[in-house]
């Protein structure tokens, strides 16, 4: 496993097992860890927004989440890497928490959905010590941080979408008494059963983004434009590197 750079943004290259081992090792050693799971949307935002790029680069581990990032890495650097979606990291850590005794806190999405996700995880044996919806103002953040700290949680999963989830973790990370904080996008919705993850054959075709688009075409109406823009940036950069 090694760290490389895409458009001035760091990201890891390696295997799924290496990524998971690195995350677990830091949790076991009680090393406070900020994880970003980089997909094309996150990388595109980092390319266009220097402030957000600095936030991503402040993370302890930036794991390649989507096929777009894997493709960009291969195209621009020649590096081959496996990808590890955030939802799989979240589910893996929740599963490991049963054995390790790690406590979990869920932050994000609508109240009824995050509460449902909490119930689903608790029924499977995960110790969920708190949850809160993602619809709050910045003025309310100190109360959220206080609630997270009061719960003595180990793992904080933040599902508030890009870029808000990473921005929120970054701003509040110094005050958070957690072992791990990670943005998980729509993973809480998936855990709750509100949304379904793409079938395996769709995942193998690297078309999860398209499946998510069809699940919520209105809220994700900008996705096709973002995908086209991302491809353009990568191909333009490849052309630039040739000259």
């Amino acid at each position: 496993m090694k760290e490389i750079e895409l458009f001035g943004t760091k990201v890891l290259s390696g295997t799924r097992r290496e990524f998971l081992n690195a995350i677990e090792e830091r949790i076991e050693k009680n090393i406070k860890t900020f994880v970003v799971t980089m997909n094309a949307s996150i990388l595109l935002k980092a390319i266009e927004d220097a402030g957000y790029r600095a936030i991503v680069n402040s993370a302890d581990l930036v794991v390649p989440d989507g096929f777009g990032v894997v493709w960009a890495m291969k195209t621009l650097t020649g590096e081959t890497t496996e990808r590890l979606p955030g939802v799989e990291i979240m589910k893996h850590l929740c599963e490991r928490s049963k054995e390790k005794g790690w406590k979990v806190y869920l932050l994000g999405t609508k109240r009824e959905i995050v509460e449902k996700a909490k119930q689903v995880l608790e029924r499977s044996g995960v110790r969920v010590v708190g949850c809160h919806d993602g619809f709050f103002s910045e003025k309310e953040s100190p109360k959220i941080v206080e609630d997270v700290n009061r719960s003595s949680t180990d793992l904080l999963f933040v599902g508030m979408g890009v870029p808000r989830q990473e921005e929120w973790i970054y701003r509040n990370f110094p005050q958070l008494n957690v072992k791990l904080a990670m943005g998980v996008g729509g993973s809480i919705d998936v855990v709750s059963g509100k949304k379904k993850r793409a079938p395996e054959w769709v995942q193998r075709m690297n078309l999860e983004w398209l499946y998510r688009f069809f699940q919520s075409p209105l809220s994700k109406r900008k996705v096709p434009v973002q995908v086209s823009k991302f491809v353009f940036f990568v191909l333009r950069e490849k052309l630039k590197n040739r000259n």
Side-chain angles (χ1 to χ4, degrees), residues 8 18 40 43 68 90 103 110 112 122 135 183 224 226 233 240:
E18 286 175 326
L43 183 52
M90 180 181 175
K103 291 165 285 186
K110 297 178 180 177
E112 61 271 21
E122 286 177 332
F135 294 88
Q226 290 177 330
F233 279 147
K240 191 191 303 182

Side-chain angles (χ1 to χ4, degrees), residues 10 41 60 75 118 123 136 146 160 165 168 201 235:
K10 69 180 186 180
S41 295
D60 300 289
T75 302
K118 179 178 183 290
R123 282 200 297 268
F136 57 88
E146 186 180 334
M160 300 194 297
Q165 58 192 22
W168 189 90
W201 66 270
L235 295 180

Side-chain angles (χ1 to χ4, degrees), residues 64-83:
D65 175 308
F67 171 71
V69 173
V70 173
W71 170 73
M73 193 183 297
K74 179 69 174 176
T75 302
L76 297 178
T77 71
E79 281 288 330
T80 300
T81 184
E82 293 185 3
R83 71 186 187 96

Side-chain angles (χ1 to χ4, degrees), residues 110 113 186 189 194-196 208-224:
K110 297 178 180 177
I113 296 176
D189 297 72
K194 174 69 176 177
K195 289 183 180 178
K196 291 184 179 179
E208 279 187 274
W209 66 271
L210 187 60
Y211 183 86
R212 289 194 295 270
F213 170 74
F214 283 122
Q215 278 190 313
S216 309
L218 284 178
S219 64
K220 296 190 178 295
R221 59 189 177 279
K222 295 180 181 178
V223 168

Side-chain angles (χ1 to χ4, degrees), residues 3 14 36 57 59 61 129 131 143 191:
E3 189 176 278
V36 170
N57 284 334
L61 298 170
V129 291
C131 70
K143 290 184 178 179
V191 170

Side-chain angles (χ1 to χ4, degrees), residues 133-147:
D133 65 78
F135 294 88
F136 57 88
S137 67
E138 190 53 39
K139 288 182 180 179
E140 296 174 276
S141 282
K143 290 184 178 179
I144 307 295
V145 171
E146 186 180 334
D147 190 54

Side-chain angles (χ1 to χ4, degrees), residues 112-123:
E112 61 271 21
I113 296 176
V114 73
E115 288 179 351
K116 175 66 174 177
K118 179 178 183 290
Q119 293 168 8
V120 169
L121 289 175
E122 286 177 332
R123 282 200 297 268

